[in-house]
Amino acid sequence: MSSWRDQILKEFTPKVARLTLVADPDGLLLEEGILEGVRERGFELIPFEDHIAFRYAYESKFRSRWDRGEHMDLVVVLRSQASDLSGLPYDLLQAGRRLSFNLGDIFPNLSYPVVTALDRGDLDALYEAQKRHAPGQLGDNATKEFVLRHVFEIAPELVKQPSDLLRVLLRRHYRGQRIPADLDGRFIQLLRQSNVFDDWPLETLVADREAFFAFLQERWPIFLDREAAKGTSGVREDEKPYGLSIEGPIELPFDHHDIRVYIDNLFVEGLLHSVPHEHADTLSKTWVGIGVRTAPIEDRSRRLGKLIDSLEASIPAEDAKHTDWFHFARGWAEAILLANDQAEAISEPTDTRIKNLQAQVDAGFAAWLFKRYAGLVNLPPVPPVMLHHLPRFLARQMGEDRTAKIALIVVDGLALDQWLVVRQALATKQPGLRFREQAVFAWIPSLTSVSRQATFAGKAPIFFPNSIQTTDKEPALWAQFWADQGLMPNEVVYLKGLGDGGLENVSEALSHPKARVAGLVVDKVDKIMHGMEMGTAGMHNQVGQWAKQPYLNTLLDLLLDRGFRIFLTSDHGNLEAEGCGRPSEGAVADLRGERVRIYPDAALRGKVKERFPDALEWGTVGLPEDYLALLAPARRAFVQEKQRAVSHGGVSVEELIVPLIQIERRGG
């Protein structure tokens, strides 16, 4: 099937010119499918973002090989606003052949500003629609409507009643679709032309996923009352006072067949939460049962069964988008939590299903990483896809709002399933908090010195080879990143070793009148993990205990009171693994982790792999050339055989897909 990528990939014929320079104002070369296609043709790709970082990578990785007579096809990508390459160094311009790509050439009949606002992953559907429907020249509004209809399956003229609108919003928010603000604006404008939705807070519900689910959650008990009343006289004696924090219609058509299909999944995946009801016994026997709280063990067991069904049917394929894995990881984290919550009550058939599913997920994710991970490194940082994108993502926010103050809290070692435990504890203590949940990829290998350091440096680890074995340079790398954005040293805070005791040092650092950006490392979860003998269930228990103590709540209050926008993330997750034996390599390994070993050359690594044939040899994507990882097999660790350990360093979903949460006060 032809696609918009063919127009670009046909320009990449190996061995024509060892250096190709591309003007790429729309970031097309950084789309996952293009990156994969370019790499499959034998080209290495390097974005030109700043002179010094580029020069380092170019000289150390490419020039040195050419000087040794090795052939390598290199593509240098310049993403400047204009389609010209004059911003590149003179020696490159002399040596390279030049190309230029932009969205205007690929979608000549559509409004360029509307198309450029789309996620690059949405261009496939748009290209297909352009081919099938051959629209003539379209202006801004016509393009917006064309994109809404053919890319996002939203036909505004068909949204005539509440059930139509709910169906559109459920499909969008359940999938976590990112739709540009201009398209949302056009959709709302068209809806407002009739007076059906006059009492709906459309601006909030259309764009804000968390607010939409909160809106549904508040109206679910009202719907249950109506369902319960159907069996009685049909008239409610006295209207209950419902405290609704989000305005809009009080009753929603949850029982409409287009809406019902989503209800099970929303409760099963934890997007909505079941509620107690005085007629729970009767209601639990009907289709609304999943959203009614009855006996906790039965509730959880029923949810787990349905969640396994859903996960088995939705493991992303080898050519899936990274966002499909983010969506899957969220459900997977819920399943881990539920399964460990009721480990003693799980039947043998369910246990077998979980183990089989685990094996499928591990194999599917590893295959996807080998194909697609290299392409994630250079993706645009908004939205962030990997940890090293975070500083540029935060800098973009500060650029848009000169008064913004931002805090990045890195909870070392916090896996997604443990975030769910922390979230529950925080929400119980402070119902006024709102969590906007995303996810990002940690670095491979998922080690603190690689992944956390990349988070604070805002760069791939290839750019800090001298400190890749330690975290001592983090404060300097964080300060350097913000200095490059024009911030003064007294505007930047970095503190680590947090998680216990008092918060005087944090309070003091944040009280500086100039402090605008804070990087805070909370290492409590990592400490719990390294002393853990009770596996995943023990992690949930202890992380939950810690989150219920005042420390984290007080830290969040302190930041919010001082006007900071809070983003919480983690440098890697963790999993429970079983020992497969220790490599006896003497002093040759640079790092001897439980889930990964690091070697300075391929021959040494190859020797150890002979003894562990199922271990994975990982390439040097974004890593220094002499940083070669051998990853333990799935759910195994390089410790004594049969010994169990909670550790990290490998490539499981639990270790690599970590939470990225914006925490704010409701109405804040």
Side-chain angles (χ1 to χ4, degrees), residues 202-371:
L202 294 176
E203 285 72 14
T204 303
L205 299 181
V206 169
D208 188 334
R209 184 173 189 256
E210 278 67 28
F212 173 69
F213 288 127
F215 170 78
L216 296 185
Q217 183 73 54
E218 288 185 345
R219 282 145 182 86
W220 179 248
I222 302 170
F223 174 76
L224 292 179
D225 284 348
R226 200 177 76 197
E227 284 292 291
K230 281 180 182 171
T232 60
S233 61
V235 181
R236 290 213 289 271
E237 297 295 319
D238 49 298
E239 193 68 40
K240 287 185 189 171
Y242 294 107
L244 300 179
S245 66
I246 297 177
E247 57 190 57
I250 290 176
E251 299 203 343
L252 296 181
F254 286 110
D255 51 353
H256 188 281
H257 57 89
D258 283 340
I259 310 308
R260 266 179 68 167
V261 296
Y262 284 97
I263 296 299
D264 250 24
N265 280 14
L266 295 177
F267 284 105
V268 163
E269 294 180 24
L271 295 166
L272 294 181
H273 303 286
S274 60
V275 297
H277 197 277
E278 58 192 330
H279 298 294
D281 287 354
T282 320
L283 290 172
S284 65
K285 296 180 177 66
T286 68
W287 71 271
V288 300
I290 190 78
V292 180
R293 206 173 295 162
T294 52
I297 290 177
E298 282 81 29
D299 283 354
R300 286 202 295 265
S301 167
R302 180 172 47 175
R303 244 189 93 199
L304 179 60
K306 290 190 169 194
L307 192 47
I308 294 169
D309 292 342
S310 163
L311 291 168
E312 283 173 340
S314 62
I315 299 174
E318 204 170 288
D319 58 352
K321 296 179 189 170
H322 66 268
T323 47
D324 296 339
W325 274 109
F326 285 163
H327 185 92
F328 183 87
R330 181 63 177 66
W332 185 237
E334 289 279 355
I336 293 168
L337 193 55
L338 280 169
N340 281 283
D341 216 12
Q342 48 180 331
E344 64 289 338
I346 288 182
S347 65
E348 205 166 305
T350 303
D351 193 45
T352 304
R353 279 183 78 194
I354 293 170
K355 288 198 168 72
N356 289 341
L357 178 59
Q358 216 173 45
Q360 279 175 279
V361 172
D362 289 344
F365 189 52
W368 182 86
L369 287 170
F370 272 97
K371 197 173 162 71

Side-chain angles (χ1 to χ4, degrees), residues 574-588:
N574 55 73
L575 56 64
E576 184 176 348
E578 187 178 302
C580 59
R582 291 180 197 278
S584 49
E585 69 244 300
V588 300

Side-chain angles (χ1 to χ4, degrees), residues 364-526:
F365 189 52
W368 182 86
L369 287 170
F370 272 97
K371 197 173 162 71
R372 283 289 173 94
Y373 176 84
L376 304 177
V377 177
N378 293 323
L379 287 180
V382 180
V385 177
M386 289 190 69
L387 282 168
H388 70 291
H389 296 159
L390 288 182
R392 279 185 294 155
F393 164 70
L394 300 176
R396 176 81 61 92
Q397 296 198 20
M398 294 181 82
E400 289 166 1
D401 176 359
R402 299 309 303 167
T403 63
K405 294 161 73 172
I406 287 183
L408 178 65
I409 302 175
V410 180
V411 183
D412 196 325
L414 184 76
L416 253 179
D417 52 298
Q418 290 142 19
W419 156 248
L420 297 179
V421 174
V422 171
R423 188 190 64 178
Q424 179 60 43
L426 291 174
T428 307
K429 275 266 171 69
Q430 297 202 53
L433 289 178
R434 176 183 284 174
F435 307 104
R436 298 183 183 279
E437 300 185 279
Q438 301 174 63
V440 283
F441 284 92
W443 270 86
I444 302 176
S446 48
L447 295 167
T448 300
S449 62
V450 176
S451 213
R452 197 176 85 193
Q453 200 165 192
T455 309
F456 285 111
K459 292 179 181 153
I462 186 174
F463 297 115
F464 47 82
N466 300 333
S467 64
I468 197 164
Q469 310 280 4
T470 163
T471 57
D472 296 349
K473 292 281 189 295
E474 275 177 6
L477 290 165
W478 179 243
Q480 182 59 53
F481 175 85
W482 291 106
D484 293 344
Q485 310 302 313
L487 263 62
M488 303 302 289
N490 60 2
E491 295 178 288
V492 182
V493 171
Y494 170 94
L495 292 168
K496 67 176 183 180
L498 308 178
D500 270 331
L503 283 152
E504 296 78 17
N505 58 337
V506 183
S507 181
E508 188 183 332
L510 298 179
S511 65
H512 194 290
K514 290 271 173 62
R516 281 196 65 200
V517 59
L520 307 172
V521 178
V522 173
D523 58 8
K524 183 65 180 174
V525 174
D526 200 58

Side-chain angles (χ1 to χ4, degrees), residues 594-615:
E594 292 180 336
R595 289 270 295 147
V596 62
R597 291 292 215 260
I598 304 297
Y599 300 93
D601 73 60
L604 290 169
R605 180 174 67 176
K607 262 207 181 83
V608 178
K609 180 169 163 63
E610 285 170 18
R611 201 190 135 199
F612 297 94
D614 293 339

Side-chain angles (χ1 to χ4, degrees), residues 555-568:
L555 176 61
L556 297 177
D557 278 342
L558 188 65
L559 289 163
L560 291 167
D561 290 345
R562 302 260 166 101
F564 281 85
R565 285 183 205 173
I566 301 176
F567 291 87
L568 180 147

